[in-house]
Amino acid sequence: HRSDHTDTSAAPCVQPAGGRTARCVDSIPLQFKVISMTCAKKTVKFGLMSDDLSSARGRMRKLRIDLADDLRSTTTGAGAKGNRKIVIAALSILRSNDTLMRRMARCGSRNEHNDTRFFCGHPACGVCMQRRGNRLFRQHLWPALETVPPDQLRWVTVLMVRHASLDEGAAEMERQHRRLQHVLKKFAGGTGKNRVANVRVWGAREIERDGTEWQFHVHLLVDLAGGDADRLLDLLRDVWGRGDRQVQAKMMQQREHQANVLRLARYMTKARYTQSVGTGAEREWMSNEDIVAVVRWRDRQSH
């Protein structure tokens, strides 16, 4: 049997942005005399012993909602596997895309015949996007930046547009991307043989829920190549504003250089489904509706 791997390779430039299911079960009697106490506790916790719901479909929907709420309270957005479980739960509750839900539920499952694992490779899957980040680090970022002094690198965030529609916002981001390329060429002093500085940039587009709109922005990892970081920020702020949050730049953290670059590679390829709360220091999961909207949008963008 051939390998079931279907994950796609990482791209070194701007990109738009579980569990397992058994393959078969044995036939078993319809009546049980003994169940485990763990199962009984979960049954009571999620209300399956209640007679309030008359239909089996209603009970299953309530179970899905209760399981998702329990998962939200015990899962952080930092874990790739927990991220994938949250997405599967949202798709299950809203019955938005059963094919994608089953595909993501299979992600990470092992093929016992040839000892390989299946990975869905979907841009909405936190596990597969983390794997893509690892490849981006291994194949592109680390070979390019291993000998670059950390103080020559900048992590730049640019808030570009806000839009109520994900599709219309993505179309506007194409125009903003062309403006960004123009600014970076200006900073480097031109293109080709006329370029003054050997500036290199890796970046990723990202969206985040902000009230009733979506905030579209980009993260850039910039190798200044001796250029002036303040000049780069001034050029960016001339286009996208001089507010406190419009254009932000950070130096590398005081940690091992390789760990810094790996962390940024994973950040650029992450599939995020959390949103800021209050002052932005804390984060919480998006609503199921918003999660499904983002998943479906990422699915459209990947085709």
Side-chain angles (χ1 to χ4, degrees):
H1 298 280
R2 61 183 178 84
S3 173
D4 226 356
H5 290 282
T6 59
D7 202 357
T8 56
S9 61
C13 56
V14 174
Q15 292 290 333
R20 303 180 184 178
T21 55
R23 289 173 300 196
C24 62
V25 293
D26 296 329
S27 59
I28 52 178
L30 296 179
Q31 295 182 357
F32 301 89
K33 294 185 178 180
V34 179
I35 62 175
S36 71
M37 290 308 297
T38 301
C39 179
K41 291 178 181 178
K42 290 289 185 181
T43 304
V44 174
K45 179 177 181 180
F46 297 121
L48 293 184
M49 291 185 176
S50 172
D51 293 329
D52 295 338
L53 299 176
S54 57
S55 69
R57 181 176 297 178
R59 287 195 297 273
M60 286 305 300
R61 176 170 174 78
K62 183 178 186 303
L63 174 62
R64 293 191 189 101
I65 294 174
D66 289 342
L67 285 172
D69 290 342
D70 185 64
L71 190 62
R72 284 170 173 270
S73 64
T74 57
T75 307
T76 65
K81 291 184 178 180
N83 178 300
R84 182 176 60 189
K85 290 179 181 179
I86 291 290
V87 171
I88 293 172
L91 290 170
S92 174
I93 291 171
L94 299 181
R95 311 302 295 178
S96 174
N97 189 326
D98 288 347
T99 301
L100 177 57
M101 181 186 68
R102 287 192 294 267
R103 178 180 170 186
M104 292 184 67
R106 284 187 60 208
C107 187
S109 61
R110 182 177 294 279
N111 185 336
E112 297 177 358
H113 296 289
N114 55 13
D115 197 30
T116 60
R117 287 188 182 275
F118 166 81
F119 291 98
C120 66
H122 197 276
C125 175
V127 173
C128 290
M129 292 306 289
Q130 185 178 82
R131 287 166 54 83
R132 185 176 298 183
N134 292 340
R135 286 197 302 275
L136 174 62
F137 165 79
R138 186 173 59 252
Q139 298 175 8
H140 301 285
L141 290 187
W142 186 239
L145 299 175
E146 183 176 4
T147 60
V148 175
D151 59 2
Q152 188 173 294
L153 301 175
R154 292 295 185 276
W155 177 251
V156 180
T157 300
V158 183
L159 305 185
M160 291 189 165
V161 297
R162 293 166 58 96
H163 211 291
S165 166
L166 286 169
D167 289 323
E168 293 179 14
E172 173 60 22
M173 278 294 287
E174 293 298 326
R175 189 174 73 87
Q176 297 293 328
H177 182 217
R178 292 191 291 270
R179 297 176 71 186
L180 176 62
Q181 288 178 314
H182 175 74
V183 170
L184 294 174
K185 290 175 183 177
K186 185 177 180 179
F187 174 68
T191 59
K193 295 181 179 180
N194 298 322
R195 183 161 56 177
V196 176
N198 190 28
V199 177
R200 296 179 297 175
V201 181
W202 296 264
R205 305 176 190 181
E206 189 177 357
I207 57 170
E208 183 165 354
R209 194 62 161 166
D210 190 1
T212 60
E213 296 182 311
W214 298 97
Q215 174 69 68
F216 289 78
H217 55 286
V218 295
H219 296 295
L220 307 174
L221 176 57
V222 184
D223 175 7
L224 295 170
D228 185 356
D230 291 335
R231 178 171 176 268
L232 172 61
L233 297 180
D234 283 338
L235 291 173
L236 293 171
R237 285 165 179 159
D238 286 342
V239 178
W240 287 284
R242 297 185 173 274
D244 294 339
R245 298 181 63 243
Q246 288 304 118
V247 178
Q248 305 172 56
K250 297 179 180 179
M251 297 183 66
M252 296 297 99
Q253 294 185 9
Q254 296 300 316
R255 66 171 73 181
E256 200 263 328
H257 183 44
Q258 186 176 23
N260 265 333
V261 178
L262 175 59
R263 180 178 63 88
L264 295 179
R266 289 177 173 177
Y267 195 92
M268 285 192 288
T269 56
K270 69 183 181 301
R272 171 178 280 179
Y273 299 100
T274 57
Q275 58 191 5
S276 298
V277 180
T279 60
E282 297 182 2
R283 304 189 66 84
E284 66 178 10
W285 292 106
M286 296 179 187
S287 67
N288 290 325
E289 290 75 13
D290 284 344
I291 290 175
V292 169
V294 173
V295 170
R296 295 177 64 183
W297 174 73
R298 285 177 172 154
D299 188 56
R300 292 193 297 272
Q301 293 286 307
S302 65
H303 294 112

